[in-house]
Amino acid sequence: MSVLPIRRQTMVEGDIDLSKLERRLREPRTLINAALNWLVAGLTVLAMVPLFSVIFMLLWRGGQRLGIALFTELPPGAGMVGGGIGNALLGTVIMVGIATLLSVPVGILGGIYLAEFGPNTKTASVVRFAAKVLTGLPSVIAGVFVYALVVTTMGTFSALAGGVALSILMLPTIILTAEDAIRMVPHRMREAAIGMGCTQTQAILKVILPTARPGILTGVMLAVARAAGETAPLLFTALFSDYWIRRLHEPSASLAVIIYDFSGQPYPNLIEIAWAASLVLVLIVLGLNIAAQFYLRKSFTK
Amino acid sequence: MDTHDHAPTPATIKPAAPAPVPANGAHANGNGNGHSIVEVKLKALYYGSFKAVRDTDLAIKRNAITAFIGPSGCGKSTVLRSINRMNDLVRGFRFDGHIHFRGRDIYDTKIDPVAVRRHIGMVFQQPNPFAMSIYRNVTFGLRLNGYKGNIQDKVEQALRGSALWDEVKEKLHQSGLALSGGQQQRLCIARAIATEPEVLLMDEPCSALDPVATRKIEELMLELKKRFTIITVTHNLQQAKRVADMTGFLYVDTTQGARTGYLVEYGPTEGIFNDPKEKHTKDYIQGAFS
Ligand SMILES: Nc1ncnc2c1ncn2[C@@H]1O[C@H](COP(=O)(O)OP(=O)(O)OP(=O)(O)O)[C@@H](O)[C@H]1O
Ligand SMILES: [Mg+2]
């Protein structure tokens, strides 16, 4: 019994040594294997084409405006030269920041509840269902909802309303990824914590959350990346401004809306600005995604 | 929490001496009688409507190693885990009976299970260090208890106590998960003993380890019993023979359709292995050694 596998192994080794490429190509299964490998490689490259052509296009059209002025100057008026996207970049950062502040605590606490306290309760299944539906919510709906809720009551478009709208889009992603990340913490870690004399709260704070942190942060970064690029909800909430933002309850510019607005204008300067803004936005989103990947990878190799 | 008194108990029980188990009424005199630190009086134990264990009474000797043996599913882990109320985590768990720890019934409604677990530590079957550095693993319990003394010394002491110090002293701040399985298990032992619990529960602590690592843990257990009381579960009868002072045989006759386990026989290890009184014990031990 034990002789057989050893024999077969040496035979296979002999085959490879003796007749390298030719022999292998003649066998149908190696042919099929090679063909499928090429097919997969080809399709993978094909799938990358849109991403890289977008980046190439953005670099081509928007790259020339990349410079200090782009980040420090206000958007130019119609027919003017120069200008930048300073206020839009700042607006996006502020609104995404507000959205993050609102959605991260609620989302992580929600994820903890779903994973730890009531995983099998009715409440949990309703919340989970709602979160899944919300992930697919068209972003314009979030905009209209916050328009009715915040903009009409405050009587003005504002950065605050924009942040609230973006937080609605971020929340479900954060809840669901946090729940997943917490569930992925092995049961024996939980037992170890309880066995050491932790209360449930201590077990969650001291052991489970730190262990789940990379997964949770990945979810947060992906949600931020999504929110940064949203246009529709901001059109209904933050609208636009040609000036630097001074207060949170004033309208604010944002990268997404400046792209939307300027790209439709008949002035080449504005169109150039729109391209540059697109490039900046894509770089931000790409950076966040890469950071998320990197962080998750690190957590697995640790 | 409070500081644990580690009154040195000179009574090292010699395995050969067939000292009779102290009468079960011993808990009446407060902190136990110097011999038994834990007294299990289990009438029935349920998981939901399923009665997992019945009629299991035994007194655990201080500074000795007590081993539970028996066929799979007879409730060894269940009994062990009820001693520090780990089973409270299981939904539907119900315990009918008493377990006295130094004379206090830990199933009394006034008792806080979290406090119980700080006195009765546990080492699990699968090594389960936290995803932290070796150092932070060992100090975990100390920080939890708000320990004020010299943490550095405690870490060294605990790691020496678990025979791991020499292997990790250079890399205390690396992840505990980067150690080998046997090292991880010794790290878990260090983590458990750092807070100086009085009793250490070990559920098949060697079953995930190779023979060399197993022998290391066994030697460690013999060393640790000078300072702690150890209750362990093992499938390895040789191991029970090598390390245990007292052995309890639990049994469930699944061939007869029964699923409720119970304690068949309990006494000094020598007696259980060489001169079992009950037929089930005899059959099990003979079956395992033939
Ligand atoms: N969490 C649980 N929920 C429900 N039933 C359980 C649970 N844990 C154990 N049981 C049941 O209780 C009985 C005793 O299980 P236990 O794990 O204590 O056996 P054991 O003697 O440790 O077995 P093994 O040697 O295989 O580890 C078994 O019938 C088992 O199915
Ligand atoms: Mg078990």
Side-chain angles (χ1 to χ4, degrees):
Chain A
M1 252 204 79
S2 62
V3 178
L4 197 60
I6 295 171
R7 262 253 207 87
R8 272 185 55 194
Q9 210 181 347
T10 47
M11 264 182 65
V12 170
E13 274 170 13
D15 276 356
I16 290 170
D17 280 342
L18 285 174
S19 53
K20 305 203 161 95
L21 262 175
E22 295 173 346
R23 246 294 176 76
R24 277 159 79 201
L25 275 177
R26 246 183 257 145
E27 272 191 57
R29 65 192 160 101
T30 40
L31 274 179
I32 292 173
N33 189 30
L36 283 177
N37 277 347
W38 278 108
L39 187 68
V40 170
L43 290 177
T44 310
V45 170
L46 203 65
M48 308 282 274
V49 166
L51 175 65
F52 282 104
S53 43
V54 165
I55 292 177
F56 178 76
M57 186 82 159
L58 290 177
L59 281 171
W60 178 257
R61 304 291 302 267
Q64 59 217 18
R65 290 297 288 261
L66 223 50
I68 303 287
L70 185 72
F71 298 105
T72 54
E73 287 182 19
L74 289 172
M80 288 168 63
V81 292
I85 54 167
N87 64 342
L89 184 60
L90 183 67
T92 289
V93 169
I94 286 176
M95 286 189 281
V96 171
I98 292 172
T100 307
L101 284 181
L102 291 175
S103 59
V104 165
V106 178
I108 292 180
L109 288 174
I112 291 174
Y113 175 80
L114 292 185
E116 286 290 319
F117 288 96
N120 304 315
T121 58
K122 259 233 167 63
T123 326
S125 55
V126 170
V127 170
R128 216 174 278 127
F129 177 73
K132 278 179 187 152
V133 172
L134 268 179
T135 30
L137 184 80
S139 55
V140 65
I141 307 284
V144 173
F145 171 71
V146 173
Y147 176 82
L149 193 77
V150 182
V151 176
T152 54
T153 48
M154 281 175 63
T156 168
F157 294 100
S158 65
L160 201 62
V164 173
L166 294 183
S167 77
I168 290 177
L169 294 174
M170 289 174 65
L171 188 61
T173 312
I174 295 178
I175 290 185
L176 294 175
T177 50
E179 182 194 2
D180 272 353
I182 292 169
R183 272 175 192 274
M184 296 263 285
V185 176
H187 184 66
R188 56 199 156 86
M189 295 262 181
R190 235 158 284 236
E191 284 203 312
I194 299 291
M196 287 302 295
C198 284
T199 61
Q200 194 182 11
T201 313
Q202 286 171 325
I204 290 169
L205 289 180
K206 290 174 194 283
V207 174
I208 294 171
L209 279 187
T211 312
R213 193 178 56 195
I216 296 175
L217 277 183
T218 303
V220 170
M221 283 191 246
L222 293 177
V224 166
R226 182 189 169 191
E230 284 295 348
T231 317
L234 296 183
L235 283 176
F236 287 91
T237 51
L239 204 62
F240 192 70
S241 159
D242 284 325
Y243 308 104
W244 291 98
I245 180 171
R246 281 170 308 163
R247 299 191 198 84
L248 291 185
H249 52 85
E250 282 177 358
S252 167
S254 57
L255 286 177
V257 174
I258 210 174
I259 294 166
Y260 170 81
D261 193 28
F262 281 19
S263 60
Q265 302 278 346
Y267 306 98
N269 185 34
L270 298 192
I271 291 180
E272 246 175 42
I273 293 269
W275 279 109
S278 307
L279 179 62
V280 171
L281 185 56
V282 166
L283 289 181
I284 291 175
V285 172
L286 204 64
L288 282 167
N289 274 291
I290 290 171
Q293 290 292 325
F294 175 77
Y295 209 83
L296 203 64
R297 184 98 31 91
K298 211 177 91 188
S299 76
F300 281 125
T301 53
K302 193 167 60 181
Chain B
M1 288 280 111
D2 53 354
T3 48
H4 319 301
D5 66 319
H6 258 290
T9 31
T12 356
I13 293 114
K14 299 205 171 52
V21 182
N24 275 351
H27 71 90
N29 59 359
N31 270 356
N33 59 6
H35 279 296
S36 55
I37 182 165
V38 173
E39 281 155 33
V40 178
K41 289 168 195 164
L42 184 160
K43 280 205 207 65
L45 186 155
Y46 300 86
Y47 288 120
S49 58
F50 167 55
K51 188 168 173 179
V53 184
R54 66 176 170 84
D55 305 315
T56 293
D57 290 11
L58 45 86
I60 305 291
K61 285 187 181 178
R62 217 184 260 272
N63 291 88
I65 299 178
T66 303
F68 293 152
I69 58 171
S72 188
C74 67
K76 305 177 295 292
S77 300
T78 298
V79 171
L80 190 76
R81 292 162 59 94
S82 10
I83 296 176
N84 72 344
R85 297 197 56 172
M86 279 303 284
N87 281 330
D88 288 27
L89 301 189
V90 179
R91 197 159 299 164
F93 167 74
R94 205 148 51 76
F95 185 90
D96 180 11
H98 308 277
I99 291 182
H100 288 98
F101 168 62
R102 298 177 49 173
R104 283 294 296 267
D105 182 2
I106 60 165
Y107 279 90
D108 192 326
T109 47
K110 286 200 285 279
I111 295 283
D112 175 11
V114 172
V116 169
R117 294 184 200 120
R118 293 187 182 185
H119 292 274
I120 305 181
M122 183 143 197
V123 176
F124 297 82
Q125 182 170 358
Q126 291 289 331
N128 55 2
F130 298 129
M132 312 168 181
S133 69
I134 294 169
Y135 184 88
R136 285 181 70 83
N137 263 286
V138 179
T139 58
F140 187 87
L142 299 171
R143 283 180 282 127
L144 201 62
N145 294 336
Y147 179 75
K148 289 288 186 304
N150 188 334
I151 290 225
Q152 216 94 29
D153 286 354
K154 276 278 185 187
V155 170
E156 178 170 347
Q157 195 187 329
L159 285 170
R160 281 192 191 284
S162 69
L164 190 59
W165 176 252
D166 289 328
E167 286 156 73
V168 302
K169 63 183 173 202
E170 308 292 332
K171 50 176 184 182
L172 287 179
H173 294 284
Q174 289 177 22
S175 169
L177 295 174
L179 297 173
S180 75
Q183 289 174 326
Q184 287 192 11
Q185 194 63 303
R186 277 177 286 148
L187 176 59
C188 292
I189 293 174
R191 181 178 67 187
I193 63 177
T195 52
E196 311 246 332
E198 275 129 291
V199 180
L200 209 51
L201 308 177
M202 305 175 104
D203 192 350
E204 301 188 44
C206 305
S207 68
L209 307 181
D210 68 79
V212 176
T214 298
R215 280 315 261 263
K216 236 176 190 153
I217 302 270
E218 285 178 13
E219 282 162 22
L220 184 56
M221 289 167 77
L222 291 170
E223 192 59 36
L224 286 174
K225 78 170 182 180
K226 295 174 186 160
R227 290 159 59 206
F228 307 98
T229 303
I230 296 177
I231 312 175
T232 183
V233 168
T234 179
H235 267 129
N236 180 340
L237 297 190
Q238 304 286 0
Q239 180 174 68
K241 255 180 124 165
R242 283 193 295 263
V243 302
D245 301 299
M246 302 289 289
T247 298
F249 173 64
L250 281 86
Y251 186 67
V252 55
D253 192 357
T254 41
T255 56
Q256 306 293 310
R259 291 182 60 209
T260 303
Y262 62 101
L263 180 72
V264 172
E265 195 169 347
Y266 175 60
T269 303
E270 289 260 325
I272 297 288
F273 280 92
N274 298 336
D275 182 24
K277 299 281 180 286
E278 301 288 331
K279 183 178 177 306
H280 285 316
T281 321
K282 211 171 287 177
D283 290 349
Y284 184 73
I285 286 171
Q286 272 169 5
F289 281 101
S290 59

